[in-house]
Amino acid sequence: MGSLKAQRFLTALEPQLDETSYEKLIRALFVGLFSPNSLDISKPDVIRQIATSSNVGLDGSLVEKAIEASGSEEIKAKLVANGKRVAEYGGFGLPTTVVHLPSRPEMVFGSDRIHIIGQMLGETKPAILN
């Protein structure tokens, strides 16, 4: 089981979705892969099921087009280029965040590093969440 086909699917679909829908899809694939009864997101039927589920709600014809496009050389090359950009910043996986500071871009790796990003952006205290 791997995530390459799902990554290609996401790469093919990204330009066609708004940010909220794209994030819902990413989250649903992540949960599917890392849930106690993990799903094999390398299979097109599983990708299709997740993308068209009520949690995500993508149109079936859009999903089919993206599944078909995900095997194209163009999508494969775009995903490789994205990986190279992350590697140039020193990243090696997810989540990798690049903060574009006035002096230079700075890469932050890991989900527990949001406070570091806040400091880079000039925050002096954590946000109060209600």
Side-chain angles (χ1 to χ4, degrees):
M1 188 164 47
S3 65
L4 182 59
K5 288 185 181 180
Q7 291 176 51
R8 288 177 180 164
F9 173 72
L10 288 167
T11 302
L13 206 48
E14 181 183 19
Q16 301 171 56
L17 295 179
D18 61 88
E19 187 175 331
T20 301
S21 298
Y22 192 63
E23 286 179 13
K24 276 186 190 178
L25 176 58
I26 292 169
R27 184 177 311 276
L29 287 166
F30 183 88
V31 168
L33 180 61
F34 291 105
S35 66
N37 299 318
S38 66
L39 302 173
D40 186 352
I41 63 170
S42 70
K43 295 182 178 179
D45 286 342
V46 173
I47 293 171
R48 186 179 295 111
Q49 174 190 351
I50 292 171
T52 59
S53 70
S54 60
N55 292 340
V56 180
L58 297 183
D59 179 71
S61 63
L62 180 65
V63 170
E64 291 304 319
K65 288 177 186 174
I67 288 172
E68 185 176 315
S70 65
S72 73
E73 293 305 315
E74 177 186 356
I75 294 301
K76 290 177 183 179
K78 185 175 180 181
L79 185 58
V80 167
N82 288 345
K84 285 181 181 179
R85 284 184 55 215
V86 171
E88 287 170 3
Y89 287 114
F92 56 91
L94 295 173
T96 298
T97 304
V98 178
V99 180
H100 294 275
L101 300 171
S103 58
R104 70 184 186 290
E106 188 76 40
M107 192 269 311
V108 179
F109 178 78
S111 61
D112 60 343
R113 303 294 191 249
I114 198 73
H115 65 286
I116 294 172
I117 295 170
Q119 288 175 337
M120 293 172 134
L121 297 174
E123 294 293 328
T124 57
K125 60 183 179 180
I128 298 172
L129 302 176
N130 295 324

